[in-house]
Amino acid sequence: MAASVTMKLGLLILLSITTSHQVLAAQQQHTINVQSLLSSEMCSSEPAAPDSVNPSSRPGAGSTHQIVRRACVQTGDHKTTLSDHYAAVLRRDLHRVRSIHRRLTGPQSTTTIPAHLGLPFHSLEYVVTIGIGTPPQNFTVLFDTGSDLTWVKCTPCAATSCHAQEEPLFEPKNSTTYADIPCDAPECRIGGFQETSCGVNGSCAYTVQYGDKSQTFGNLAKETVTLSPEAPPATGVVFGCSDNTTTHFQNTGVAGLLGLGRGNSSILSQTRGTGDGGVVFSYCLPPRASSIGYLTIGVAPQPSNLTFTPIKTAAEPLLSSVYVVDLSSISVNGEAVPIPAAAISAATVIDSGTVITHMPAAAYYPLRDEFRRHMGNYTMLPEGLAGRLDTCYDVTGHDVVTVPPVAFEFGGGARIDVDASGILSVAGASGAAVACLAFVPTDSVDIMVIGNMQQRAYNVVFDVAGERVGFAPNGC
C-alpha cells in the first residue's frame, strides 16, 4: 500500500463518463470526459413513489419501473483514503462473488418501471421503487438478479438491529392484505436460497445470507406487491418482513431488495403463469446519475440488434438461482486477449448486484496487461493505492481520458462492447482525480461475474422460459 498517496475523496465516483462518438469499429478508442465532482445535494432525496418512464423512451405496452444506481460516498469531516473507498466497494463485491461461487459449486402482461443509479442511498448498485401492501407503501430497494427472496424492513425493528434508511419502515398493521405465514404452511417451504425455521408464535422465520457476513432475518409473509401504478398488483406474493440486517445493508439507505433470481421464491417465479409476467424480464442500467434506465417484467418489443446467448443448465440444483452463460472471448482495442482456455471457460454469471467484474486471475492479468499497453500516455500509480484495483492512473488536469475499447463475446455470438463508463472507475477530490480499471482478479478458477458497470447502457434481456440472455447496445 502506498500510504503516502492519500487523498480525501469527494462526494462520489464520477458517473459522467461519455464517449465522443458511437463505437462503430472495435479499434476506435473511447474518450472519457473527466468532469468535476457532483455536489453534496446528490446525497439526499425524498421517498419516491413508483412512477413510469416516458412511454416514448421505451417501446411497447406496459409501465416502466425506475432503477437507481447506488454510488454515493459522503465524507464530511471524515478523511477517507482512496484505498478505503475502493476497499468498501470491493469488500461487498468479493463477499457476493464468493456467495455465488458457493452456489455454483455446491398470456402475460408487461410492466416497465423506471430505473436509477442509487446515489441518494450511498451505494454503487441499482435500485427501484416498489409498493408493498394495500394501500401500497412505497420503498426503494436493491434490484438483484442474483437473489431470490424480495424483502423490506418492517416494524418493529430496533435501531440496533436494522440499519437506518431514507424511507419509513413497512407497517404491516397498515395493510389490509398482509398475512403472516405459519411455519407449517407450504409457503414456508417455498424454496430458494433462504433458510426457514419455526419462529415466535409459530410464524415462519427466514434467514438469507448474501456473502460471508451480509444477512437479513425476519418472518415470511404474504402480501400484495405493486411494481407500477399502471400495472395490476401481484397478490399473495411471499416476501420477507425483515427485523434484522447486518454488515453491508447497514451502510446503505435502501429499504430492502427485489429478488429477480431463478429460484422459486423470486417474484418472477411466483408470478409466472399468473398473467403478471415472470417468463421474460429486461433492464437497462443507466451509465450516469442524470440518466434513467428501466426494468421491464414481461415480453416487450425488442430491437433488431439484440443477440442472445444460452443460459447454461446443469444437473446441479444450486445453478438454478443465477444466470450463467458461456464466455468465448475478451478483446481489448479490437484484438482478442490471449486467455487460457480453462480461464475463459469459467462459469460466467450476469449479475446486476455485483458492481465490478470479477474474473479468474488467469483471465484478468492478460486483460490488464493489454489494457496497460494502450495507456502509455497516462501516469500509472503504484499498485496498492486502490486495494485490489491494481491499474490506476493519475488523470488530474485531464479534461478527457482516451481508453481502448473492451468487449465480451459470448456463445451464440452475443456481445457486449463495454460502455466507456464501465471501463474506468474514476474518483477524486481537491482537484485531483484517479481512474482505475474496473476489473479485478479472484482466487476462483471456475467462476467469472460480470458486474453492473460492464452492463451499463445495454438492453439486457433475460428470457427465462427460453433459457437465454440477450444484449443490445444503446438501451438507455
Side-chain angles (χ1 to χ4, degrees), residues 52-344:
S52 297
V53 167
N54 187 330
S56 64
S57 67
R58 178 72 175 139
S63 54
T64 301
H65 193 102
Q66 191 167 12
I67 301 173
V68 182
R69 176 172 168 246
R70 307 183 299 156
C72 186
V73 179
Q74 290 179 308
T75 57
D77 294 329
H78 175 66
K79 293 185 177 181
T80 305
T81 66
L82 186 62
S83 179
D84 291 338
H85 171 69
Y86 282 121
V89 175
L90 292 172
R91 189 179 304 114
R92 160 66 174 160
D93 265 12
L94 181 60
H95 290 331
R96 180 182 186 82
V97 170
R98 285 175 177 170
S99 178
I100 293 174
H101 180 242
R102 285 196 297 271
R103 297 186 213 168
L104 292 176
T105 57
Q108 176 175 297
S109 63
T110 299
T111 301
T112 305
I113 47 184
H116 291 281
L117 209 55
L119 298 179
F121 302 91
H122 320 300
S123 171
L124 285 166
E125 297 163 50
Y126 288 84
V127 299
V128 295
T129 300
I130 63 174
I132 303 287
T134 306
Q137 300 172 44
N138 299 320
F139 300 101
T140 303
V141 295
L142 301 184
F143 163 83
D144 193 357
T145 60
S147 299
D148 294 328
L149 186 69
T150 294
W151 61 268
V152 295
K153 294 193 297 297
C154 304
T155 60
C157 192
T160 55
S161 299
C162 276
H163 65 278
Q165 65 184 51
E166 301 292 331
E167 299 148 338
L169 300 177
F170 176 66
E171 288 276 8
K173 65 182 181 182
N174 292 341
S175 172
T176 61
T177 49
Y178 178 88
D180 280 313
I181 294 176
C183 56
D184 59 354
E187 292 88 347
C188 193
R189 298 176 295 279
I190 190 173
F193 285 95
Q194 70 280 349
E195 298 177 0
T196 58
S197 61
C198 205
V200 178
N201 299 323
S203 61
C204 182
Y206 80 91
T207 301
V208 181
Q209 181 167 314
Y210 294 95
D212 292 342
K213 297 180 179 179
S214 298
Q215 293 179 313
T216 179
F217 313 86
N219 293 326
L220 289 185
K222 292 202 294 186
E223 188 52 288
T224 296
V225 177
T226 303
L227 295 179
S228 167
E230 285 102 11
T235 59
V237 173
V238 176
F239 85 112
C241 205
S242 174
D243 57 15
N244 196 343
T245 56
T246 66
T247 58
H248 168 68
F249 296 110
Q250 294 176 343
N251 299 321
T252 67
V254 296
L257 181 145
L258 178 66
L260 295 175
R262 300 173 69 192
N264 290 338
S265 59
S266 82
I267 195 168
L268 300 172
S269 297
Q270 293 190 60
T271 58
R272 188 173 300 147
T274 66
D276 296 319
V279 293
V280 177
F281 73 98
S282 57
Y283 59 68
C284 184
L285 306 179
R288 51 189 67 86
S290 59
S291 304
I292 298 178
Y294 55 80
L295 165 65
T296 296
I297 297 179
V299 179
Q302 301 299 343
S304 58
N305 59 350
L306 182 69
T307 54
F308 284 95
T309 185
I311 295 175
K312 291 181 67 173
T313 58
E316 279 257 15
L318 294 179
L319 280 170
S320 63
S321 186
V322 295
Y323 299 92
V324 181
V325 298
D326 278 323
L327 181 68
S328 57
S329 68
I330 303 174
S331 64
V332 174
N333 207 43
E335 296 293 330
V337 177
I339 296 175
I344 207 70

Side-chain angles (χ1 to χ4, degrees), residues 7-8 10 34 36-37 394-398 427-434:
M7 62 179 66
K8 180 180 179 182
V34 182
S36 60
L37 294 175
D394 182 357
V395 294
T396 304
H398 291 273
S430 303
V434 172

